[in-house]
Amino acid sequence: MKPKARRRLRNVLDEADASLLDLVDHVLNKGVVIEGEVLLGLANVDLVYLRLAAVLCAADRLERTNESRRRRARS
Amino acid sequence: MSRLYLYALLGGPPSGPLGAGLAGEPLRLVRCGDLLAVAGDVPKAPSIDAASLRAHDATVRRLAEMVEAVLPIRFCTLVDDESALAGLLEPQRAGLGEALALVAGREQMTLRLYGEGLHDDAPLPDAEPSLPGPGARYLAARRRERRRAHGSREMAALRRGLGALIVDERVERHDMPPLLASLYHLIERGASARYLSALETIAGELGAVRARATGPWPPYAFAPGAIP
C-alpha cells in the first residue's frame, strides 16, 4: 500500500468510534465484489481488515470503560 | 473522462427518484440484462475518508427504502462505462440473481462476539494427510475451517435464542481476543427490535462472552464474494 493511502486509511481508523468502525467493515470490506475493479487495490483489503479487527478490539475496551464509568456514576 | 461509480444492484425498479450520490452527481439506473445497477458519473474516485464512507452507506440505505431487494456494491468500485459493467456482471448473473432473491424484503444485523475465547463444540480431527490429492486436501481444510467457524457453545446458544428470526447467517471467526467473531444475520425487515430483545434474553447464556449487535444494515454481508 502506498504511504499516502496508508495515511488516509489511518485518518479513517483514528476516528475510532464504534459506529464508524462498523461502517468501515460493512462498506469497505463487504458488498458485491466486481473482480479487478475495486479501487481498494490501493488498500489491500486483508490489511484493512487486520487493522480493522485490531481497532474493533480497542472499541470493545473503550465501550467497557464507558460502561463502568457510567455504573460508577450511578452508584 | 468520467467513470461510473457503482452503489448497488436492485431487484426491481425503485419506487421514487434516485437522488444524488457521493459527489452530488445525479444517480441513474443501468440495465445489464435482467440486473439493475445504480451508478453515478464521477470525474474521479472519491476520497477515502469517513464522510465518503457515510455517504456511500446513506445512499445504499436510501435505495433500500425504495425497493424490495438491494445488494450493496463495495465502496469505491468504479468502471469505465456501461459496457464494461455489463461485461463484469454477466459472468456473475446467476449468483447475483440468487443473492437478490435471498435479500428481498430482508435486512442485516451484525453481531460481534468479544471475550477471551469461544468454547469449541468438539476437538477437531487433525488434518487428513492420507487424502489423495491437493484438491481433496484443500476441500477437507475448507470443511474443517467451516466447522470451526460455526461450531461453538456460544454460537449454538445464540442460534437457539435468535434462530426463529434468522433467515441466513454468515460467520467470520477472528480469534483476536477480545474480538472473537463477527456474525452477520439476515432477518426480515422490521424484525430488528425483536432481534435485540431476544439477544438480551440469551445474553446470560454466553458466559464470559459479550455480544454486541448493530443494525439494521443493508445486507452488505450477503453479497456474492463478500465472505468466502
Side-chain angles (χ1 to χ4, degrees):
Chain A
M1 188 168 31
K2 292 176 190 155
K4 196 175 167 195
R6 199 178 300 135
R7 250 196 326 274
R8 282 194 297 182
L9 191 64
R10 195 177 309 135
N11 289 343
V12 172
L13 294 181
D14 281 349
E15 293 181 41
D17 68 84
S19 63
L20 179 62
L21 292 167
D22 250 345
L23 194 64
V24 173
D25 177 33
H26 291 106
V27 175
L28 209 62
N29 203 44
K30 308 279 184 297
V32 176
V33 177
I34 296 179
E35 210 57 60
E37 283 293 327
V38 180
L39 200 74
L40 291 171
L42 71 84
N44 177 324
V45 172
D46 288 343
L47 185 60
V48 170
Y49 201 75
L50 263 180
R51 287 182 56 93
L52 174 62
V55 185
L56 277 167
C57 295
D60 177 58
R61 278 195 281 271
L62 196 69
E63 281 183 35
R64 272 188 291 160
T65 313
N66 288 343
E67 269 170 30
S68 53
R69 228 179 259 142
R70 275 196 295 274
R71 242 178 262 130
R72 273 203 304 276
R74 275 199 298 270
S75 61
Chain B
M1 192 193 86
S2 74
R3 301 185 81 200
L4 275 181
Y5 182 99
L6 306 174
Y7 292 91
L9 296 172
L10 307 184
S15 61
L18 292 171
L22 276 182
E25 83 284 7
L27 297 183
R28 60 190 177 94
L29 284 176
V30 180
R31 183 173 281 282
C32 302
D34 47 7
L35 292 170
L36 274 179
V38 177
D41 300 277
V42 294
K44 59 183 177 61
S47 55
I48 302 178
D49 55 24
S52 298
L53 293 171
R54 289 204 170 97
H56 182 100
D57 181 61
T59 306
V60 172
R61 282 174 190 268
R62 195 177 71 240
L63 297 170
E65 282 169 20
M66 292 192 283
V67 69
E68 271 290 283
V70 66
L71 281 181
I73 294 179
R74 185 176 284 186
F75 176 75
C76 230
T77 301
L78 289 147
V79 293
D80 284 338
D81 52 29
E82 293 189 16
S83 66
L85 175 61
L88 289 164
L89 290 181
E90 176 56 31
Q92 299 191 56
R93 209 175 59 183
L96 291 167
E98 282 168 22
L100 279 164
L102 175 67
V103 302
R106 293 172 179 149
E107 55 196 1
Q108 175 187 316
M109 295 298 285
T110 296
L111 200 53
R112 311 254 186 227
L113 302 186
Y114 291 100
E116 295 306 311
L118 294 168
H119 294 87
D120 287 312
D121 286 339
L124 293 166
D126 289 333
E128 298 156 77
S130 59
L131 286 170
R137 282 198 294 276
Y138 170 77
L139 289 176
R142 285 282 299 263
R143 275 196 301 275
R144 277 167 50 80
E145 187 48 41
R146 193 177 155 74
R147 230 184 97 189
R148 195 184 78 86
H150 288 74
S152 79
R153 199 192 301 162
E154 292 81 6
M155 288 190 203
L158 286 165
R159 283 188 199 106
R160 271 197 308 277
L162 300 169
L165 295 166
I166 299 172
V167 179
D168 202 354
E169 180 184 58
R170 303 277 187 272
V171 178
E172 281 179 83
R173 270 293 276 268
H174 307 296
D175 293 318
M176 291 178 61
L179 181 61
L180 304 176
S182 297
L183 281 67
Y184 305 93
H185 288 148
L186 193 67
I187 63 168
E188 300 296 341
R189 287 188 185 184
S192 61
R194 270 180 288 148
Y195 179 98
L196 292 173
S197 81
L199 183 62
E200 210 165 299
T201 313
I202 51 176
E205 293 176 41
L206 301 179
V209 171
R210 300 176 296 286
R212 299 192 195 286
T214 59
W217 294 91
Y220 282 103
F222 293 87
I227 296 178

